[in-house]
Amino acid sequence: MLFVFRSLNHLFVTLVICFRIIFSCHALSVNMLYGVQGSKWSSPKWNWGYAMGSGHDCAMICRNKWSDIQSRKELIQSLIRGDENIYDFDPEWLDELKLILGLCWQRGRRDGSDGGIGGYSEVLDNLSGCQYETFVPCDDGVASKRNFLNDMRKRFKLIAKSQEYIGLVMDLSEEEDDLDISVKICSGAVLDSMNFIEWGI
């Protein structure tokens, strides 16, 4: 009888833990980029690549926000400097940055500016597949952020605008304390090399 009680108690505790994880995953998938609910790659509402969904809504806002060439220039400069507060960015800076990159890679997939075979189209697939997202509270996001950085870095020579940019990107640190700055600088170099300033998204 005692064995049965302990087994039931263990089952109950396991169910509670599972419920908390599921609830936390749902909560983390609901973000408020641009004030749009569910605006995260892992959200069921995101629906990337379709004409309906929070991803489409955010893409429209994003394209409008960065429609001015001067604002795009300011953004690239801010990213390359690794500014703590990125020029005119949402507090959820990584989510906005992923969206801008995703839209550029989507364009690059069509016009070839993503580096072609083995290029950033593959990173876009990983992005839409939520490989750079966090799902549980105990995940500090360091591993996914490092993977995102490295996936961008190892393809950079396919699109690099200059040798100076190649040196800058290849020398970026993967240490935890440096990751935010490294992701910003790498993203700025990628966007600039894909003519983000001139062509927009």
Side-chain angles (χ1 to χ4, degrees):
M1 189 71 179
L2 182 60
F3 173 77
V4 172
F5 175 77
R6 285 177 176 173
S7 297
L8 288 173
N9 184 59
H10 178 73
L11 177 62
F12 175 75
V13 170
T14 302
L15 288 171
V16 168
I17 291 172
C18 289
F19 174 78
R20 285 178 177 173
I21 291 173
I22 292 168
F23 178 80
S24 298
C25 288
H26 174 73
L28 283 169
S29 72
V30 178
N31 210 333
M32 292 296 286
L33 178 62
Y34 302 142
V36 177
Q37 191 168 6
S39 48
K40 194 172 180 71
W41 291 87
S42 56
S43 170
K45 296 180 180 180
W46 187 247
N47 215 21
W48 179 257
Y50 291 87
M52 293 185 66
S54 57
H56 180 262
D57 296 340
C58 286
M60 289 180 64
I61 296 170
C62 186
R63 287 192 174 100
N64 183 64
K65 178 178 178 180
W66 302 106
S67 61
D68 177 68
I69 192 168
Q70 184 58 36
S71 67
R72 296 196 297 270
K73 185 177 180 179
E74 294 280 358
L75 172 59
I76 293 298
Q77 291 173 346
S78 183
L79 288 169
I80 294 296
R81 289 194 302 265
D83 291 350
E84 182 176 353
N85 297 310
I86 305 173
Y87 172 79
D88 201 24
F89 245 42
D90 191 280
E92 297 290 346
W93 68 269
L94 186 56
D95 288 326
E96 185 166 12
L97 189 53
K98 285 177 182 175
L99 177 58
I100 293 171
L101 287 163
L103 291 169
C104 279
W105 293 334
Q106 189 177 61
R107 167 176 56 76
R109 180 179 276 174
R110 294 192 297 269
D111 63 24
S113 62
D114 69 335
I117 297 173
Y120 287 91
S121 180
E122 294 181 359
V123 188
L124 177 58
D125 288 341
N126 293 342
L127 189 60
S128 61
C130 304
Q131 292 191 29
Y132 309 121
E133 300 299 301
T134 55
F135 292 95
V136 292
C138 59
D139 187 346
D140 57 10
V142 171
S144 59
K145 199 177 292 183
R146 185 176 287 120
N147 289 339
F148 186 49
L149 171 65
N150 285 329
D151 281 352
M152 287 194 290
R153 287 174 72 193
K154 68 184 181 183
R155 293 165 172 83
F156 185 66
K157 290 181 182 179
L158 295 173
I159 64 164
K161 211 170 192 177
S162 67
Q163 283 298 127
E164 182 183 359
Y165 263 167
I166 291 175
L168 178 67
V169 169
M170 294 303 115
D171 288 342
L172 290 173
S173 170
E174 299 176 27
E175 295 299 318
E176 183 175 346
D177 291 343
D178 302 324
L179 265 180
D180 282 359
I181 292 175
S182 294
V183 167
K184 291 171 185 177
I185 293 173
C186 186
S187 298
V190 168
L191 288 169
D192 195 19
S193 295
M194 290 187 70
N195 299 306
F196 170 73
I197 294 175
E198 297 84 357
W199 299 350
I201 46 179

